[in-house]
Amino acid sequence: MVAEAGTGAWVLLSYRVPREPSAPRIAVWRKLKRLGVAQLGDGLVALPTDARTREQLDWIAEEVIEAGGTAGVWIAHPATRAQERQLAADMAAARAAEYQAVREQAVEASGLSAPGRAAALRRLRGELRRIARRDYFPPPERAGARVAVEALATAGSPDGELKEEEPT
């Protein structure tokens, strides 16, 4: 079957990791989750193709093989634009939920003391950076999360700027 015109290239990782010991299997799963892969089936994940995603999946494939498993990296095109749109929509929905959780945490943290807000602000900014690294199809919730986190920086401060208290 030939891919429909207009579909982009995706990098796929087909893998199987031995059940025991479980540590390598769990490590691979965690790395794939951090990358924000789309799960196409058991042992088959996909990401939009670019040099970074290809390299990341190549590294994970090597790790699977070193753990005694099997792995292959493929470049493919969805057969239809509808398939590609659905894949992108699923990935965007997953990121939207993560951004929504960050927004809610930022709103909750606005009622904390200044040191609590500062700690929450650092943590939530870091979480936004981690989500952004796996955000291939940015959902509208991204902007709301960023606004809420930056609003936390000015919450409770008369001059509009979060100041960390001096240690005593």
Side-chain angles (χ1 to χ4, degrees), residues 4-7 78-86:
E4 189 174 306
T7 60
T80 67
R81 278 183 246 137
Q83 286 175 321
E84 185 169 46
R85 280 192 301 270
Q86 184 60 52

Side-chain angles (χ1 to χ4, degrees), residues 20-57:
E20 295 297 328
S22 62
R25 186 171 35 87
I26 292 167
V28 166
W29 178 81
R30 286 182 177 155
K31 287 177 182 179
L32 292 172
K33 184 174 176 165
R34 265 195 308 272
L35 285 174
V37 299
Q39 187 81 39
L40 301 178
D42 283 346
L44 183 61
V45 296
L47 287 172
T49 299
D50 66 21
R52 180 180 150 292
T53 57
R54 169 71 191 268
E55 182 177 47
Q56 293 289 326
L57 291 184

Side-chain angles (χ1 to χ4, degrees), residues 62-75:
E62 287 178 26
E63 189 173 324
V64 167
I65 292 167
E66 288 172 5
T70 59
V73 176
W74 303 77
I75 303 297

Side-chain angles (χ1 to χ4, degrees), residues 87-121:
L87 194 54
D90 291 347
M91 292 175 81
R95 298 303 77 78
E98 293 173 347
Y99 283 127
Q100 182 62 27
V102 167
R103 190 191 71 71
E104 290 168 4
Q105 291 171 35
V107 169
E108 288 175 16
S110 66
L112 297 175
S113 65
R117 284 193 315 273
L121 183 62

